[in-house]
Amino acid sequence: MGRDRVSELYGSLVFTDADMQDRLPKPTYKELRRTIDGGMPIDLDIANEVAHAMKDWALERGATHFTHWFQPLTGITSEKHDSFICPKDDGSVLMAFSGKELVQGEPDASSFPNGGLRATFEARGYTVWDPMSPVFIKDEVLCIPTAFISYTGEALDKKTPLLRSEVVLEQQAKRVLALFGKEPARVVTTCGPEQEYFLIKEEDFQARPDLILTGRTLFGCEPAKGQELEEHYFGAIRPSVNAFMKEVDDELWKLGIPVRTKHNEVAPCQHELAPIFEQGSLAIDDNLLTMEKLKLLATHYGLACLEHEKPFEYVNGSGKHDNWSLSADGENLLEPGDNPEDNLQFLVFLACLVSAVDDHADLLRASVASAGNDHRLGANEAPPAIISVFLGDALSPVVDALIKKEHASSRDREQIDLGIPALPDILRDNTDRNRTSPFAFTGNKFEFRMCGSQQNLSDANVVLNTAVAEQCDRFCDYIAKRVKRPEDFHMIAMRFVRHSFRDHQRIIFDGNGYANEWEQEAQRRGLANLKTTPDALPCMVNEENIAFFERYKVLSASESRARYAAAAEQYAKLINIEANTMVYMARHMYLPALFNYSGDLATSIATKAEIGVVSRAERATLDALTEGIDTIYDTVGELEAKNDAARSVCDCREQDERYRDEVLPCMSRLRAAVDGMERICGHDWWPVPSYNKMLFWV
Ligand code: ADP
Ligand code: MG
């Protein structure tokens, strides 16, 4: 019997473990596995054999080129295609691919953001094969996941620090587990990114320079209908979207990406896609590929996929929940079991997490800061900009009791009585969902919910991994200093847990994160509320944070500074582009349209006056238009001047603040003026599709 369709296609474009076993001599395969599983360096002979097998496999699947696939500081992926061809003297070609080409590439690094790490005259950069992420074929190109570093070995990408943070977390978690008598071969982070996005008609997208140039609508008056009826969430998926989603599933399955869940989201034409979790860095590679495929495949259905955090005002924006846990040879270290109060190992890791989030809340906040995400955080649709941890009904009592030195007993999972005998009995989960918490314990993993939909989760995970590693390190030191006899371990470890929860109690909050009172309460607790990117980013370069990443060899001081500079610069650049786009649209589209409409009205008024008809409505509308046109005209000039002034500021921190305090408010005023005119301008004169049309397409 043949295999089912999905099993047949799953992973067919990936050089999988099965392909390696098939095509590599046994000793070579074993060596390669040592690299993949054990993190051992690979030698060139082995790399040559692997490259040869990969090439044959790829050629059989129609590949003509290969590329080192990497993640520069832009956050998206980059590729440069090289063909396998090697011309021979007789005029024919050989298809060749060497171990050296597999292991190392040398793209010109000068045109990628580097935050000042290199001058352009030292343009050399290297890409280095990451054997932990499998190679795959995309559009006839063999793609090799790589890390991207400078000539001097400094990270120029998102992946290098992520891998370093995974290494240090593994080391430290293994030290903790050793104290529990365990010696797992691997401890890895697991990550399941839930991806939100919008789908609109491609023709609408193409008619909006703001969507094309900035990913979000910079203008648009409130639609007649928003998301208030709540009928879109989990609603039946319309046929064209369904067809799109099916192709997405197929294409991602071919790439071995375990996508599982898809549904309509809260906002009109908003959707979500979630995979089954994978090892952290692999999950992030797969998420980046997912984002690329979503955009590309949408065009097959006359649709455009919007991945910006806030494509539309008045309805929810898009996030990317970072579900995160730790796994030791398959054992989930955040699994509380039936009696978490007696599960010391779980309590130690939980305590480490809570302390990690409290100690490094500033860096976590910075890791999700971007011009796009500023529109979500704190806007009553996403968690607030204040970092806190939600533990839920099952764990909070345990933690409270521990702090009070009482013995806690966790609630048994209750049966829910439905009163309908025909329906099966169900058990209540041990945590309810809290959708307002930025960092929520959801049964056996944490969900970091502040990440933006277009962000690369590496930034968040680098902070999280390193911060948890630090706490594991602290635990091991604590035990080493205090435990003199093995029988004391339990008591002293429990004391560590208790003290950690006591000292970091302020970060635990199970209430409604959207409530205004929480903002005041958080302030009383001394928790930071960094509302905007310019508030959040500078902590990346304070002394303790630089030292923290240096201590764990995740980022050197110059790498930290470079990352800050690149992020700060990106904020300024994005707002500059938005301001430019607004000026362009106002001058070239909105004003001319309004001139036409008001001109036509004026003609009509004049014509009617000749036969003695006075139209009060036309007159009032013309007056309003004239006033609005003048306001737009003036505000465009003002925005242009403010943007020019901000652009010429040299210090990046000062520049970001200038964009936030001067340019953004002016952009809001311009938008308000234009949106006011959209409300009264005739439909046939208005130059771009409205929110009503874009959000409720049929
Ligand atoms: P919820 O509906 O509460 O968000 P789900 O079970 O649907 O939870 O999971 C959401 C995401 O979390 C999925 O991508 C899933 O694979 C991921 N996930 C589940 N368990 C883990 C884990 N141990 N580590 C990381 N991610 C996980
Ligand atoms: Mg979720």
Side-chain angles (χ1 to χ4, degrees), residues 392-403:
D393 293 349
L395 289 181
S396 275
V398 173
V399 169
D400 284 344
L402 271 168
I403 293 172

PDB file of all heavy atoms in Angstrom, residues 392-403:
ATOM      1  N   GLY A 392      -0.598  31.278  37.006  1.00  0.00           N
ATOM      2  CA  GLY A 392      -1.880  30.574  36.919  1.00  0.00           C
ATOM      3  C   GLY A 392      -2.285  29.889  38.211  1.00  0.00           C
ATOM      4  O   GLY A 392      -1.514  29.808  39.176  1.00  0.00           O
ATOM      5  N   ASP A 393      -3.522  29.384  38.188  1.00  0.00           N
ATOM      6  CA  ASP A 393      -4.154  28.826  39.387  1.00  0.00           C
ATOM      7  C   ASP A 393      -3.438  27.638  39.990  1.00  0.00           C
ATOM      8  O   ASP A 393      -3.556  27.375  41.176  1.00  0.00           O
ATOM      9  CB  ASP A 393      -5.568  28.334  39.041  1.00  0.00           C
ATOM     10  CG  ASP A 393      -6.459  29.488  38.701  1.00  0.00           C
ATOM     11  OD1 ASP A 393      -6.039  30.632  38.940  1.00  0.00           O
ATOM     12  OD2 ASP A 393      -7.568  29.231  38.181  1.00  0.00           O
ATOM     13  N   ALA A 394      -2.747  26.874  39.167  1.00  0.00           N
ATOM     14  CA  ALA A 394      -2.129  25.668  39.705  1.00  0.00           C
ATOM     15  C   ALA A 394      -0.818  26.005  40.408  1.00  0.00           C
ATOM     16  O   ALA A 394      -0.513  25.443  41.449  1.00  0.00           O
ATOM     17  CB  ALA A 394      -1.879  24.664  38.593  1.00  0.00           C
ATOM     18  N   LEU A 395      -0.051  26.921  39.842  1.00  0.00           N
ATOM     19  CA  LEU A 395       1.281  27.168  40.390  1.00  0.00           C
ATOM     20  C   LEU A 395       1.334  28.317  41.384  1.00  0.00           C
ATOM     21  O   LEU A 395       2.119  28.282  42.324  1.00  0.00           O
ATOM     22  CB  LEU A 395       2.275  27.431  39.258  1.00  0.00           C
ATOM     23  CG  LEU A 395       2.627  26.216  38.415  1.00  0.00           C
ATOM     24  CD1 LEU A 395       3.641  26.599  37.358  1.00  0.00           C
ATOM     25  CD2 LEU A 395       3.190  25.092  39.288  1.00  0.00           C
ATOM     26  N   SER A 396       0.499  29.329  41.177  1.00  0.00           N
ATOM     27  CA  SER A 396       0.577  30.482  42.079  1.00  0.00           C
ATOM     28  C   SER A 396       0.422  30.099  43.551  1.00  0.00           C
ATOM     29  O   SER A 396       1.199  30.563  44.382  1.00  0.00           O
ATOM     30  CB  SER A 396      -0.435  31.551  41.685  1.00  0.00           C
ATOM     31  OG  SER A 396       0.135  32.351  40.687  1.00  0.00           O
ATOM     32  N   PRO A 397      -0.567  29.236  43.892  1.00  0.00           N
ATOM     33  CA  PRO A 397      -0.685  28.841  45.304  1.00  0.00           C
ATOM     34  C   PRO A 397       0.571  28.120  45.804  1.00  0.00           C
ATOM     35  O   PRO A 397       0.973  28.297  46.947  1.00  0.00           O
ATOM     36  CB  PRO A 397      -1.876  27.881  45.312  1.00  0.00           C
ATOM     37  CG  PRO A 397      -2.602  28.123  44.040  1.00  0.00           C
ATOM     38  CD  PRO A 397      -1.616  28.643  43.058  1.00  0.00           C
ATOM     39  N   VAL A 398       1.182  27.340  44.926  1.00  0.00           N
ATOM     40  CA  VAL A 398       2.397  26.621  45.312  1.00  0.00           C
ATOM     41  C   VAL A 398       3.499  27.624  45.641  1.00  0.00           C
ATOM     42  O   VAL A 398       4.179  27.540  46.670  1.00  0.00           O
ATOM     43  CB  VAL A 398       2.855  25.681  44.164  1.00  0.00           C
ATOM     44  CG1 VAL A 398       4.201  25.054  44.474  1.00  0.00           C
ATOM     45  CG2 VAL A 398       1.797  24.620  43.904  1.00  0.00           C
ATOM     46  N   VAL A 399       3.646  28.611  44.759  1.00  0.00           N
ATOM     47  CA  VAL A 399       4.685  29.615  44.953  1.00  0.00           C
ATOM     48  C   VAL A 399       4.398  30.464  46.195  1.00  0.00           C
ATOM     49  O   VAL A 399       5.288  30.715  47.011  1.00  0.00           O
ATOM     50  CB  VAL A 399       4.825  30.486  43.686  1.00  0.00           C
ATOM     51  CG1 VAL A 399       5.693  31.701  43.945  1.00  0.00           C
ATOM     52  CG2 VAL A 399       5.389  29.645  42.542  1.00  0.00           C
ATOM     53  N   ASP A 400       3.136  30.849  46.373  1.00  0.00           N
ATOM     54  CA  ASP A 400       2.772  31.640  47.558  1.00  0.00           C
ATOM     55  C   ASP A 400       3.094  30.885  48.838  1.00  0.00           C
ATOM     56  O   ASP A 400       3.667  31.446  49.775  1.00  0.00           O
ATOM     57  CB  ASP A 400       1.262  31.959  47.555  1.00  0.00           C
ATOM     58  CG  ASP A 400       0.946  33.061  46.564  1.00  0.00           C
ATOM     59  OD1 ASP A 400       1.892  33.752  46.134  1.00  0.00           O
ATOM     60  OD2 ASP A 400      -0.244  33.208  46.215  1.00  0.00           O
ATOM     61  N   ALA A 401       2.710  29.614  48.860  1.00  0.00           N
ATOM     62  CA  ALA A 401       2.943  28.810  50.057  1.00  0.00           C
ATOM     63  C   ALA A 401       4.442  28.670  50.323  1.00  0.00           C
ATOM     64  O   ALA A 401       4.895  28.756  51.469  1.00  0.00           O
ATOM     65  CB  ALA A 401       2.293  27.443  49.898  1.00  0.00           C
ATOM     66  N   LEU A 402       5.193  28.481  49.278  1.00  0.00           N
ATOM     67  CA  LEU A 402       6.647  28.355  49.437  1.00  0.00           C
ATOM     68  C   LEU A 402       7.230  29.606  50.082  1.00  0.00           C
ATOM     69  O   LEU A 402       8.033  29.534  51.005  1.00  0.00           O
ATOM     70  CB  LEU A 402       7.299  28.163  48.068  1.00  0.00           C
ATOM     71  CG  LEU A 402       7.446  26.737  47.574  1.00  0.00           C
ATOM     72  CD1 LEU A 402       7.833  26.735  46.103  1.00  0.00           C
ATOM     73  CD2 LEU A 402       8.500  26.015  48.395  1.00  0.00           C
ATOM     74  N   ILE A 403       6.785  30.751  49.571  1.00  0.00           N
ATOM     75  CA  ILE A 403       7.309  32.006  50.099  1.00  0.00           C
ATOM     76  C   ILE A 403       6.955  32.148  51.575  1.00  0.00           C
ATOM     77  O   ILE A 403       7.750  32.584  52.387  1.00  0.00           O
ATOM     78  CB  ILE A 403       6.767  33.204  49.272  1.00  0.00           C
ATOM     79  CG1 ILE A 403       7.334  33.149  47.859  1.00  0.00           C
ATOM     80  CG2 ILE A 403       7.122  34.530  49.945  1.00  0.00           C
ATOM     81  CD1 ILE A 403       6.730  34.151  46.902  1.00  0.00           C
TER      82      ILE A 403
END
